[in-house]
Amino acid sequence: MTQFNHVQTAHCESGVISNIFRHYGLQISEPMAFGIGAGIFFGHLPFVKVNGVPGTTYRIWPGAIFSRVCKRLGVKMESRKFSSPAKAKQALDEVIARGIPVGMQSSVYYLPYFPASYRFHFNAHNLVVFGKENGHYLVSDPIMDTVTQIDPESLEQARFAKGFPEPKGKMYYPVSVPQQVDFAGPIREGIRQACHYMLKIPVPFFGVKGIRFLARRVKDYPAKEGDRRAALYLGNIIRMQEEIGTGGAGFRFMYAAFLREAGAYLGSQELKDLGTELTAVGDLWRNFAFAAGRVCKARSADNVSYAELSNMLLHIADEEEKVFRRLSKVKF
């Protein structure tokens, strides 16, 4: 059986990157993977419904972090999707029989080792399968504190869940991993890309513009959507922020940790200072979630409360813009 060093992390995709690369001797922390992959982001898409409510994301789209980190660090990956569960199972069994840990995309809903309250239809969860024992697959799920097991039927359901994004049995594993990497260039590329996505996308749905766009919509929720739907929409914003993956505030804290680590690596006090400032922005997001949760529990929509939440979001947008504008001008 393959020995796999499981380390619990904050986010599934960056955690899988860190754990798999470490298995092959390339030491990279989760925040460093997240930052090099330019994982920080914001988007609000009212025309894209997720479980019937507008979609909000606080990180870049699934898979982007992994592909960017691999490209920037020179890691070559094999990635496959399948037309049938039988082919997917055969391919997985063949690879793990060779002692190769396999990353895969799955649905949270069909993972029996998750508590029931956390099992919902989210099809972009990443985990590692590294062996098989007594007919069950051995799983290193980055958000769990220890390794666990899953039966073949549940894993098949998780790998072939319907809905967006459809996993289609996606699995991936390294075929070439450099032992030593100079992180300086990848850090710079990751920071430049993150600043572009947060500041320069011309449409109003993304980056700091997207936070302001959401703020305007939240203010109008009671009048336009009514009590029940206003609370439903607001509740989903909180859920996407605090429960899906690492959550919006959590991603800010992780990127802040990346900036401090990058500052130490590059000898830049300014990057370290910006990490401290972004941590404070993460606190603002947490305060917003707390206030929004109280509004959701109210029996009727309160226009004043929604207006206050809108103002909180506008303040967050201002503070994030300050951080990323300064970050875009750092010389390192």
Side-chain angles (χ1 to χ4, degrees):
M1 183 179 67
T2 302
Q3 295 298 314
F4 189 80
N5 182 27
H6 171 84
V7 176
Q8 185 178 26
T9 60
H11 173 57
C12 67
E13 187 172 343
S14 49
V16 164
I17 295 170
S18 179
N19 282 341
I20 284 187
F21 286 10
R22 189 185 304 109
H23 179 79
Y24 287 95
L26 177 54
Q27 301 298 317
I28 181 171
S29 70
E30 181 188 15
M32 184 63 73
F34 185 75
I36 288 175
I40 194 83
F41 189 58
F42 183 86
H44 181 71
L45 300 171
F47 45 83
V48 176
K49 295 295 194 293
V50 180
N51 297 325
V53 293
T56 304
T57 181
Y58 299 81
R59 51 148 290 177
I60 203 65
W61 51 85
I65 299 172
F66 210 115
S67 63
R68 292 170 181 175
V69 171
C70 289
K71 180 179 179 181
R72 287 168 182 161
L73 297 185
V75 176
K76 295 180 180 178
M77 299 288 296
E78 176 74 21
S79 180
R80 300 172 63 185
K81 290 186 176 182
F82 302 89
S83 59
S84 73
K87 291 180 180 178
K89 182 179 185 300
Q90 180 182 355
L92 173 62
D93 288 347
E94 289 175 355
V95 175
I96 61 175
R98 290 156 49 198
I100 300 173
V102 178
M104 58 183 55
Q105 183 179 332
S106 66
S107 169
V108 170
Y109 186 79
Y110 297 105
L111 300 178
Y113 54 80
F114 269 41
S117 59
Y118 285 90
R119 293 173 63 182
F120 52 93
H121 294 286
F122 176 67
N123 291 353
H125 183 66
N126 288 266
L127 52 87
V128 177
V129 170
F130 62 92
K132 209 170 183 180
E133 192 174 83
N134 299 323
H136 283 56
Y137 291 98
L138 303 177
V139 177
S140 168
D141 191 312
I143 68 171
M144 304 298 288
D145 57 351
T146 62
V147 297
T148 186
Q149 297 186 7
I150 188 170
D151 62 277
E153 293 76 16
S154 295
L155 183 60
E156 179 181 307
Q157 287 180 301
R159 296 180 71 190
F160 283 87
K162 301 300 182 184
F164 179 82
E166 198 166 351
K168 295 183 179 178
K170 180 180 179 181
M171 57 180 259
Y172 50 88
Y173 52 92
V175 294
S176 175
V177 181
Q179 297 301 294
Q180 297 293 329
V181 173
D182 182 359
F183 288 130
I187 287 172
R188 294 185 180 98
E189 290 180 45
I191 288 176
R192 280 196 293 267
Q193 189 169 36
C195 289
H196 174 81
Y197 277 112
M198 289 302 296
L199 299 172
K200 296 183 179 180
I201 297 179
V203 294
F205 310 115
F206 305 114
V208 294
K209 296 187 187 76
I211 303 173
R212 295 188 177 108
F213 175 72
L214 175 61
R216 293 191 293 271
R217 292 183 64 83
V218 165
K219 185 177 182 180
D220 295 335
Y221 275 171
K224 288 189 174 182
E225 306 296 341
D227 290 8
R228 182 180 177 280
R229 191 163 289 275
L232 183 65
Y233 282 14
L234 187 59
N236 192 62
I237 294 168
I238 302 169
R239 189 180 198 190
M240 296 301 292
Q241 179 185 326
E242 296 297 324
E243 294 182 17
I244 306 296
T246 308
F251 287 129
R252 271 61 192 166
F253 295 138
M254 191 187 303
Y255 198 77
F258 158 69
L259 291 177
R260 289 191 291 271
E261 187 175 347
Y265 189 89
L266 298 172
S268 171
Q269 184 60 43
E270 192 168 6
L271 287 179
K272 295 179 185 178
D273 293 342
L274 285 168
T276 301
E277 292 181 25
L278 191 58
T279 298
V281 177
D283 290 336
L284 293 177
W285 277 112
R286 284 276 151 85
N287 292 340
F288 166 79
F290 178 75
R294 296 185 65 178
V295 172
C296 283
K297 291 178 180 178
R299 292 187 178 277
S300 61
D302 182 343
N303 290 69
V304 175
S305 297
Y306 279 81
E308 290 172 348
L309 293 176
S310 175
N311 288 334
M312 292 179 77
L313 287 171
L314 290 173
H315 179 54
I316 289 171
D318 291 344
E319 295 304 305
E320 287 212 0
E321 183 171 14
K322 289 177 186 176
V323 169
F324 283 99
R325 289 208 180 281
R326 277 189 58 197
L327 182 59
S328 68
K329 298 174 182 177
V330 172
K331 304 296 183 184
F332 52 79

